[in-house]
Amino acid sequence: MVNKVEKGNGTDKRFAVLIDADNVSEKYIKCLLDEISNDGIATYKRIYGDWTKPNLASWKSCLLDNSISPIQQYGYTTGKNATDSAMIIDAMDILYSGNVEGFCIVSSDSDFTRLASRLRESGMYVVGMGEKKTPTPFIAACNKFKYLEVLAKNAESASAAPQQASSTADIPEMTSLKTIRQTILTIVDEVSDEDQWVNIGEIGSLLLKRHPDFDVRNYGYKKLTPFLKSLNILDIKSNKSSDGNSRFVYVKARS
């Protein structure tokens, strides 16, 4: 039985960030750690690989700068990935320690599909991160999935002002815009009130549940409302709460 513990530091989830060095470049480390900080606190930061190999030598300064613990895993047999096994064993040990509420699995390898599913079965919130070559089964097994190319591109352009759509050539393989449009219309039809309005936050939440790789940044936007406006399929209105501060945005499908 997994030990249940209280969350640390208010409502922040504690995450175990486990990185597969065989499938991730060091250039993504800063942006992926920044991204997971939006969900909670990285309590564990571990990266797995055979650090005796020359091709991993470039990781040294990156690991020191970001306080990531390298876990040595020799390749015992040619053609077998011992790194994956080490990550999976550590993940289960951390799960049963009861010290975290979530996991961030950083890899583009489908071998972690069952691990992600198992962690979710135990009540963990699972964030996956990988390149656009990541197989669909691993993406679907996570609560949400982030494309590393998109995170890196967004970090590079963070200081640039206008939020505008990127050209389709810059967009990685992911859930198509056509599918997202249809899902939005379905959500509005299913959960809207008697006047056919639904809170925009609920749309964002349900989109993520139905398409774990959904992120408005994948389509060149930084906020959900401008993205929804760009689809030109919804009427949007804003209401202030009774205290005059909070703003609630509602949408409904155009007739």
Side-chain angles (χ1 to χ4, degrees):
M1 179 181 295
V2 179
N3 295 324
K4 298 296 183 180
V5 296
E6 297 298 322
K7 296 180 184 179
N9 294 339
T11 59
D12 285 339
K13 287 186 175 71
R14 292 168 297 180
F15 277 85
V17 180
L18 308 181
I19 305 168
D20 179 5
D22 295 334
N23 280 285
V24 175
S25 168
E26 67 267 24
K27 68 181 180 181
Y28 295 126
I29 294 300
K30 180 64 167 63
C31 62
L32 75 85
L33 290 177
D34 288 346
E35 182 66 21
I36 201 63
S37 70
N38 294 328
D39 292 294
I41 300 169
T43 303
Y44 294 83
K45 290 186 288 185
R46 297 179 181 178
I47 186 166
Y48 300 77
D50 185 351
W51 303 101
T52 63
K53 292 183 177 179
N55 64 307
L56 294 182
S58 61
W59 279 92
K60 182 177 179 180
S61 61
C62 175
L63 302 185
L64 291 173
D65 291 343
N66 293 282
S67 188
I68 301 173
S69 301
I71 307 299
Q72 171 62 30
Q73 183 57 53
Y74 293 103
Y76 299 115
T77 307
T78 303
K80 299 294 184 180
N81 197 335
T83 299
D84 291 2
S85 298
M87 279 183 63
I88 292 169
I89 291 170
D90 268 14
M92 297 309 294
D93 285 344
I94 294 170
L95 169 67
Y96 282 98
S97 74
N99 291 328
V100 299
E101 291 80 39
F103 282 79
C104 177
I105 303 172
V106 186
S107 179
S108 303
D109 194 336
S110 63
D111 288 349
F112 295 106
T113 301
R114 179 61 187 126
L115 173 62
S117 298
R118 177 65 181 83
L119 294 173
R120 290 185 66 181
E121 289 170 0
S122 294
M124 294 291 107
Y125 189 82
V126 180
V127 178
M129 296 188 189
E131 296 180 331
K132 61 184 180 181
K133 64 183 179 181
T134 306
T136 301
F138 177 42
I139 294 173
C142 301
N143 290 95
K144 69 178 179 181
F145 188 89
K146 301 294 182 180
Y147 293 104
L148 293 172
E149 295 96 333
V150 174
L151 296 181
K153 182 178 179 62
N154 187 69
E156 290 173 3
S157 60
S159 57
Q163 60 175 26
Q164 56 187 8
S166 304
S167 67
T168 54
D170 294 331
I171 298 176
E173 296 177 8
M174 56 197 167
T175 302
S176 70
L177 200 55
K178 179 180 179 181
T179 299
I180 293 297
R181 282 196 186 97
Q182 186 55 53
T183 302
I184 290 171
L185 292 175
T186 300
I187 289 171
V188 172
D189 183 59
E190 290 176 349
V191 304
S192 58
D193 61 19
E194 293 180 356
D195 295 321
Q196 301 301 306
W197 292 97
V198 58
N199 188 286
I200 199 170
E202 189 168 6
I203 288 180
S205 177
L206 291 174
L207 271 173
L208 189 57
K209 289 178 180 178
R210 300 184 188 195
H211 302 290
D213 67 340
F214 174 73
D215 188 323
V216 294
R217 291 172 296 184
N218 293 347
Y219 309 96
Y221 291 84
K222 294 182 180 179
K223 300 292 182 181
L224 181 59
T225 300
F227 169 70
L228 293 178
K229 286 181 179 178
S230 74
L231 300 179
N232 202 32
I233 58 173
L234 302 168
D235 287 329
I236 301 177
K237 72 173 183 179
S238 299
N239 283 343
K240 285 188 176 181
S241 64
S242 57
D243 61 12
N245 294 320
S246 300
R247 189 170 70 106
F248 299 93
V249 182
Y250 295 87
V251 303
K252 72 175 179 180
R254 291 180 176 175
S255 55

